[in-house]
């Protein structure tokens, strides 16, 4: 990164006596720029967020990205021992606090902060947006409406395991040593009664052939997010591509559509184009208003 002169800075966000490690990818120009907080799923890392190309796409649209290893993922789990929890608004509040405190140095606009989560982040991000009201938009990059129910299905050997030694892995992520404790700790991992509390624009994307999380969960999140002023659902299918989990089979295409939606939505927050730049929008099939 240093040799490539990429506008990326390593950061530490204070969190419950420790800190969440992250990378801040700054959009060009003086700003202040909107900021997108990007979160992992069950087993990805902030480094994977970077090489997905998504932060660069946002930067081209005048938006900075804060990539964070949340508790239970990446460096936060492996080197800090921080395990996952269902009330993700706690993480979100700590991160937004940090953005507000460092806004001038970051060239950030603390009044235009959004959140994107992929895979299990499709639960984490909407949950955060429902209760952390400083967030101005949310994207579920792969819906995950009822992760607790998905775990019950896996216990019954339905569907596919996303990683080898699945139960050892999730026990590690959640800091538990038994199935009983795991089920208790993850009982709240659903958006029933939560999606209705999202009062900001919400984009949900999903692959029609996702073998990890059934596509019906995308529809459930959309159907329940009745108080979002701009909820949109985009299901990717053949021949377009993007049909797999988090559309990993055609990720650059889907990432570009998400980046366009974010730029367009941030522009609508204050009635102006983001950082004076007009976004080039891909045609997006929309569901709902």
């Amino acid at each position: 990164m240093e040799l490539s002169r990429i506008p990326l800075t390593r950061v530490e966000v204070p969190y419950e006596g420790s800190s969440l490690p992250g990378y801040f990818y700054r959009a060009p120009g003086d700003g202040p720029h909107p900021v997108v907080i990007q979160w992992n799923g069950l087993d990805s890392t902030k480094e994977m967020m970077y090489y997905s190309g998504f932060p660069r796409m946002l930067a081209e649209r005048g938006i900075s990205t804060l990539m964070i290893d949340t508790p239970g993922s990446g460096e936060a789990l492996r080197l800090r021992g921080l395990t996952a929890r269902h009330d993700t608004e706690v993480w979100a509040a700590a991160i937004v606090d940090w953005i507000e405190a460092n806004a001038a140095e970051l060239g950030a606009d603390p009044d235009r902060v959004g959140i994107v989560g992929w895979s299990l982040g499709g639960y984490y991000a909407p949950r955060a947006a429902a209760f952390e009201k400083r967030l101005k938009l949310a994207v579920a990059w792969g819906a995950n409406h009822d992760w607790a129910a998905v775990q019950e299905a896996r216990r019954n050997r339905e569907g596919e395991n996303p990683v080898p030694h699945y139960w050892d892995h999730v026990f590690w992520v959640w800091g538990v040593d038994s199935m009983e404790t795991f089920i208790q700790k993850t009982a709240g991992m659903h958006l029933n009664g939560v999606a209705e509390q999202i009062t900001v624009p919400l984009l949900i994307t999903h692959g029609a052939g996702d073998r990890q999380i059934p596509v019906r969960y995308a529809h459930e999140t959309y159907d329940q997010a009745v108080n979002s002023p701009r909820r949109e659902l985009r299901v990717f299918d053949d021949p377009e591509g993007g049909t797999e989990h988090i559309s990993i089979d055609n990720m650059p295409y889907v990432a570009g559509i998400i980046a366009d939606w974010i730029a367009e939505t941030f522009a609508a927050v204050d009635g102006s184009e983001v950082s004076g730049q007009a976004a080039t929008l891909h045609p997006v099939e929309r569901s709902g208003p």
Side-chain angles (χ1 to χ4, degrees):
M1 295 297 177
E2 292 171 358
L3 293 174
S4 301
R5 299 182 181 179
I6 294 166
L8 195 78
T9 304
R10 181 178 171 85
V11 302
E12 297 284 346
V13 175
Y15 169 77
E16 298 198 340
S18 183
S19 62
L20 302 176
Y23 297 133
F24 185 77
Y25 193 109
R26 183 167 179 163
D30 295 332
H33 302 290
V35 178
V36 163
I37 300 165
Q38 188 175 4
W39 280 356
N40 288 316
L42 177 65
D43 44 49
S44 55
T45 68
K46 62 187 182 302
E47 289 76 21
M48 295 169 73
M49 298 181 204
Y50 169 75
Y51 69 64
S52 74
F54 184 60
R56 177 186 54 77
M57 293 180 186
L58 289 176
E60 291 170 350
R61 292 157 174 82
I63 302 165
S64 297
T65 305
L66 178 57
M67 295 159 268
I68 292 286
D69 276 341
T70 54
S73 70
E75 185 180 347
L77 174 66
R78 289 161 174 81
L79 302 183
R80 314 288 172 90
L82 298 173
T83 54
R85 55 193 291 176
H86 84 280
D87 50 348
T88 60
E89 63 272 18
V90 178
W91 312 337
I95 294 167
V96 177
D97 285 347
W98 182 84
I99 292 171
E100 290 181 343
N102 295 277
E105 181 182 351
L106 298 171
D109 182 352
D111 293 323
R112 289 188 292 170
V113 177
I115 191 161
V116 173
W118 62 24
S119 194
L120 185 51
Y123 161 81
Y124 288 156
R127 163 86 195 200
F131 298 112
E132 175 46 74
K133 296 301 184 181
R134 290 174 292 177
L135 296 170
K136 295 301 192 295
L137 60 80
V139 178
W141 189 337
N144 222 314
H145 187 85
D146 195 338
W147 196 73
V150 172
Q151 303 321 294
E152 280 300 311
R154 287 183 178 148
R155 289 179 70 191
N156 294 326
R157 300 184 180 274
E158 300 172 11
E160 296 186 19
N161 288 340
V163 295
H165 312 295
Y166 181 74
W167 295 112
D168 289 342
H169 184 76
V170 294
F171 284 9
W172 178 41
V173 167
W174 290 91
V176 300
D177 58 8
S178 71
M179 183 63 72
E180 180 181 7
T181 306
F182 171 72
I183 295 300
Q184 291 174 351
K185 210 169 182 183
T186 59
M189 292 283 292
H190 60 79
L191 296 176
N192 296 314
V194 173
E196 294 91 334
Q197 301 186 60
I198 298 171
T199 54
V200 296
L202 172 67
L203 172 65
I204 305 153
T205 71
H206 209 87
D210 190 331
R211 291 169 287 170
Q212 303 301 335
I213 307 298
V215 69
R216 71 175 183 274
Y217 286 128
H219 293 279
E220 288 187 18
T221 300
Y222 176 82
D223 290 343
Q224 293 183 23
V226 293
N227 292 311
S228 168
R230 182 188 179 194
R231 55 182 172 144
E232 303 187 18
L233 172 61
R234 185 72 151 80
V235 177
F236 294 88
D237 203 347
D238 290 329
E240 183 179 31
T243 67
E244 295 292 342
H245 186 58
I246 67 169
S247 296
I248 200 164
D249 55 308
N250 199 5
M251 183 175 276
Y253 174 70
V254 175
I257 288 176
I258 294 171
D260 282 344
W261 182 90
I262 290 171
E264 183 182 70
T265 303
F266 270 138
V269 168
D270 62 359
S272 63
E273 295 294 345
V274 177
S275 297
Q277 300 178 21
T280 302
L281 300 178
H282 294 283
V284 178
E285 296 174 8
R286 296 194 167 114
S287 299

